[in-house]
Amino acid sequence: NRPKMSLLFLLLLSPAPMIAATPLQISYFFVDRSQYLAHAWPPGLRLMLDAYETAAKDARVAINTTVYDYETARSVVEAADADLLVYWDRVNLNYATVLSNLLRYAVLFARGGVYHDLKHWLPKPALEELVSRLDTHDIILEENPSRDPSTDNRKMRNTNMAAARPGLRYFETCLAEMKEKLRRIDTD
């Protein structure tokens, strides 16, 4: 005598809809410092991107991943604020962190979504949480807990991961402040 499955049980077995109807934009910046090109991806990068795709599929989150090379990143920065190209071209890859920061703010302003450093991707639980929080928050920055376990202090930073809705004035202001700092350094 085999019990019949209930309708509730069948509903739980049916595939759930994607959490995000519009694909979540995932952005990375990678250049081969010797050639300023992105054509020579390290093997680990492809493996990481594949793992991200799998996590997104498991979380039922549609993603659209872009790995920007030097020129495509430059065009995103130009679209955000063409005056920044003077500094982009001057600092070049000798100061890749500056380029990465310029791209981070420009791409989050233009596309929104998630900007990661290359060594990071979100596993399924973190991706699900991020998507749910983007429904109610404009910006999500990585939280790096203090190394001192006796304190409740936490340090916020957006160097490894930042997520946001597109078009936020915050990132436009960040770009303007970076431009002013770079201008001052350039004139000193």
Side-chain angles (χ1 to χ4, degrees):
N1 245 353
R2 201 167 148 186
K4 294 183 180 181
M5 282 191 207
S6 69
L7 180 58
L8 177 62
F9 186 70
L10 290 175
L11 289 175
L12 291 174
L13 289 178
S14 67
M18 297 297 267
I19 293 173
T22 303
L24 181 64
Q25 303 300 317
I26 309 293
S27 301
Y28 290 98
F29 179 47
F30 175 77
V31 290
D32 177 339
R33 289 177 188 242
S34 65
Q35 302 170 0
Y36 288 40
L37 300 173
H39 304 297
W41 284 6
L45 177 56
R46 173 52 42 208
L47 293 173
M48 184 192 70
L49 294 175
D50 289 346
Y52 211 144
E53 290 287 335
T54 300
K57 182 179 175 186
D58 291 347
R60 301 198 184 289
V61 174
I63 63 172
N64 179 23
T65 304
T66 304
V67 179
Y68 292 92
D69 62 15
Y70 183 82
E71 288 303 320
T72 57
R74 187 180 187 279
S75 68
V76 170
V77 170
E78 179 180 30
D81 185 340
D83 293 339
L84 285 167
L85 288 185
V86 170
Y87 306 108
W88 179 275
D89 294 338
R90 282 190 189 152
V91 299
N92 63 51
L93 289 176
N94 294 322
Y95 302 95
T97 301
V98 174
L99 298 181
S100 179
N101 287 334
L102 286 169
L103 176 62
R104 177 186 342 269
Y105 298 134
V107 79
L108 288 171
F109 177 69
R111 297 179 68 194
V114 182
Y115 181 96
H116 288 287
D117 281 352
L118 275 179
K119 58 189 174 276
H120 294 280
W121 61 278
L122 296 174
K124 179 186 175 207
L127 186 58
E128 289 171 331
E129 182 176 355
L130 178 79
V131 169
S132 71
R133 291 187 185 264
L134 277 175
D135 283 341
T136 56
H137 296 80
D138 289 337
I139 300 172
I140 300 170
L141 303 175
E142 175 189 23
E143 182 178 50
N144 183 29
S146 171
R147 293 184 189 265
D148 182 359
S150 66
T151 180
D152 288 334
N153 293 339
R154 295 175 105 52
K155 297 178 181 180
M156 299 300 290
R157 61 187 193 168
N158 64 348
T159 56
N160 294 327
M161 189 284 299
R165 298 174 192 248
L168 293 178
R169 180 125 174 92
Y170 170 79
F171 294 110
E172 194 174 35
T173 302
C174 288
L175 288 167
E177 288 179 7
M178 284 188 73
K179 181 170 56 176
E180 180 56 27
K181 286 179 184 177
L182 291 167
R183 185 195 62 74
R184 282 195 311 264
I185 292 168
D186 196 37
T187 59
D188 288 347

